[in-house]
Each structure stands twice: as structure tokens, then as C-alpha cells.
Amino acid sequence: MEKSFLEFQNVSFQYREDSPMVLNDVSIQVNQNEWVAVIGHNGSGKSTMAKLMNGLLFPNAGEVHVDGLELSEENIWEIRRKVGMVFQNPDNQFVGTTVKDDVAFGLENHGIPREEMVKRIAQSLKAVGMEEYEDHEPHRLSGGQKQRVAIASVLAVAPSMIILDEATAMLDPKGRKEIMHTVNQVRQERDVSIVTITHDLNEVTLADRVVVMNDGDVWFEGTPRELFEHREDLQTIGLDIPLVSKFAHELHQLGLNISKQPLNHEELMDEIW
Ligand code: ADP
């Protein structure tokens, strides 16, 4: 039986009493070591959900549990240590003058001893393939490299879960690819749960499970493979299906089979990543 790490139990949220509900009675879970992709059109509630996962916001109704702890003012710091976040803009996440200093900063905040810090900086930069850049200036790196350093900074604190909130949105296709590979690598090598928030369907293909949000409701929950079986319905909630999948599907409709199926999940992953 898979062990759950994060749970939303009937969570509802609105920013103000007189404003509409942003999340309506949402129940989801993320298991230990699982990669869950949360997808939905702009304004569907994804970022709000991410903020409720590490106590940047609290629910108006329902409960959020992280590693068995109920999200509350008392255990907020413990929860924030367990759940690291990587945000959209790579340039807003740097404080150090070198890559190494930057990763060190988060560790200093957690009072990690010097020797242990050196070890963790090396390990986390290696985990994202940036070990050769430790003395580089962060602002000179490419977008993808900056986000990899941001992931390393989070990893160094040894969280049990990492949330990437639209962490690829400002990157070019090469940078996006780098981040998807990095996340996949980290998931395989570390004992960590991963939540990626995205509006790009290409980015859900490597995840173990997908949660599709639509206007504050969970519209779908299942594997990427199951999701792509609903490919037509996705357009009705404002999501574009990946081009490769669309193309293969159209060929299939025309009777020009490039594969036995309209394009299965593994083939789709190969084509995209
Ligand atoms: P997504 O990440 O899917 O784009 P968000 O969670 O950012 O969605 O937003 C969901 C809804 O909440 C939107 O209607 C948005 O306008 C509203 N919203 C987001 N942040 C705030 C805020 N700080 N104050 C008021 N409304 C907000």
C-alpha cells in the first residue's frame, strides 16, 4: 500500500469573504516518492493549491495534512521545512553572488553546520547536474540552469516534497526539457515527492499521476495515459493537447496508422522529451 505524504480533505478556499470560491471541496493526495502533475487553465486554482500545500495560505474549510501533521500556525515551520518550493521566475530566486553561495543561503537559514553544508551543496548541485558551475554567477546562467540551481537550493535542505509552481513557464523549449529531465532524475534518485504545477500538457507525460483542475474543482485524476484517452474533452476545459499526440490522432482518423494506437503514452514521452 502506498503511503500518503500530503492530503487535502474537502479543502475549500476563497481569498475574501465576498469573492468567489477558488477551490471547491477539493480532496487529493500525494504519496511518498510520487510525482503528481497538477494542470489546468489560467485561474483554475493551481497556484492557490500549491500555496495551501506549504502553508503560504490556510484553508477556509477542510484540512491539509503534511506527513501526518495538520497544517496550522503551530507547525507551519516544520511543514515549510518538509515542503520546498521552486517558483516561476528564475531571476527572483537568487540571493548569492555565486551558485555555491546561493545554495548555502538556504542552509544557513536552517542552521546547518559548516561541514555538513559543504557536503550538501556538492550533493545537491550534482543531483541537478550543475556541479561544474558552483563558482559561476547565477545571473549569467541560462534560464534552465537557473531553475536547476533553484531546485538544488531546495534539495539541499532535504525536503520530503518539492513543489515546482510553473517553474518552466518562463523557459525556452531547451530549458523546459532540462527541467523535466532534472525532475525525473531527482525523483529516481531521492526519496522525495514531487508536485509540478503547469498549464502545458506536454509536461504531465513523465508524472506518475495527473490532477486536472477546472474552475476550482478536480476535473480528472489518473495516470497520464488515462488522461490522454480523454484528449477531446481536454479542449473543452481550455487545454491544448500536445501537438505530437494531435498529429498522430489525425493520421489515425485518416486511416494512416503510424502506430497501432493513436499514440501511446510511452511513445508520446519519447516524442516530447
Ligand atoms: P492558476 O494558478 O490556476 O492560474 P490561481 O490559483 O492563481 O490559478 O487563481 C485562482 C483564482 O484566484 C483566480 O480567479 C485568481 O484571480 C484568484 N486569485 C489568485 N490570487 C489571488 C489573490 N491574491 N487575491 C485575490 N484573488 C486571487
Side-chain angles (χ1 to χ4, degrees):
M1 175 84 173
E2 311 231 36
K3 197 160 180 299
S4 139
F5 176 74
L6 176 133
E7 268 181 59
F8 275 32
Q9 293 170 358
N10 309 99
V11 168
S12 293
F13 182 84
Q14 61 191 145
Y15 281 92
R16 285 183 309 273
E17 252 178 55
D18 57 349
S19 66
M21 278 292 172
V22 174
L23 294 181
N24 306 307
D25 199 22
V26 168
S27 297
I28 54 158
Q29 77 174 51
V30 180
N31 293 326
Q32 279 181 358
N33 225 249
E34 186 183 31
W35 177 356
V36 174
V38 178
I39 185 162
H41 60 76
N42 271 340
S44 57
K46 306 181 298 294
S47 272
T48 303
M49 199 179 208
K51 290 181 184 125
L52 283 156
M53 287 179 179
N54 85 336
L56 288 171
L57 294 172
F58 290 88
N60 294 113
E63 290 179 4
V64 175
H65 291 261
V66 178
D67 207 9
L69 296 170
E70 185 183 346
L71 178 63
S72 67
E73 298 281 358
E74 289 102 76
N75 48 35
I76 186 86
W77 293 109
E78 200 173 344
I79 286 179
R80 289 206 185 138
R81 204 205 56 74
K82 287 175 189 280
V83 181
M85 284 192 93
V86 177
F87 297 98
Q88 186 177 115
N89 190 340
D91 291 313
N92 288 351
Q93 314 196 39
F94 292 111
V95 281
T97 49
T98 64
V99 163
K100 196 166 57 183
D101 286 351
D102 205 77
V103 180
F105 183 77
L107 294 172
E108 277 162 11
N109 281 347
H110 283 86
I112 309 285
R114 184 90 214 150
E115 242 171 70
E116 173 70 13
M117 266 176 60
V118 172
K119 205 168 84 191
R120 288 211 201 175
I121 293 167
Q123 282 171 346
S124 59
L125 285 175
K126 188 159 188 291
V128 301
M130 289 295 289
E131 65 272 35
E132 283 165 23
Y133 291 82
E134 61 171 28
D135 295 317
H136 285 231
E137 292 174 43
H139 71 270
R140 288 181 186 269
L141 302 174
S142 71
Q145 289 172 330
K146 284 177 185 169
Q147 287 300 60
R148 277 152 68 195
V149 174
I151 295 172
S153 300
V154 169
L155 273 180
V157 182
S160 307
M161 180 163 117
I162 303 180
I163 304 171
L164 293 99
D165 187 2
E166 296 276 9
T168 60
M170 297 179 75
L171 305 182
D172 59 14
K174 183 172 170 279
R176 264 181 236 147
K177 205 168 185 160
E178 266 175 60
I179 297 308
M180 285 299 116
H181 279 293
T182 303
V183 171
N184 205 25
Q185 190 87 11
V186 165
R187 193 258 311 248
Q188 278 161 23
E189 291 173 5
R190 301 261 176 145
D191 193 13
V192 68
S193 308
I194 292 169
V195 174
T196 47
I197 309 255
T198 179
H199 60 272
D200 181 351
L201 262 171
N202 290 307
E203 294 190 2
V204 310
T205 53
L206 292 170
D208 299 309
R209 214 148 48 79
V210 190
V211 172
V212 182
M213 296 300 295
N214 184 40
D215 296 338
D217 295 318
V218 175
W219 180 85
F220 168 91
E221 206 181 339
T223 63
R225 181 196 292 270
E226 287 159 353
L227 179 66
F228 286 111
E229 283 163 14
H230 293 266
R231 68 186 80 223
E232 268 84 30
D233 302 340
L234 290 171
Q235 282 163 319
T236 66
I237 59 157
L239 290 172
D240 276 335
I241 60 173
L243 210 57
V244 206
S245 170
K246 207 185 297 188
F247 181 58
H249 186 64
E250 277 164 18
L251 288 179
H252 181 78
Q253 300 287 78
L254 292 168
L256 302 168
N257 277 352
I258 56 166
S259 63
K260 287 187 281 318
Q261 299 231 333
L263 195 66
N264 71 31
H265 175 233
E266 283 72 22
E267 283 165 335
L268 191 59
M269 287 199 297
D270 286 347
E271 289 296 328
I272 298 171
W273 304 115

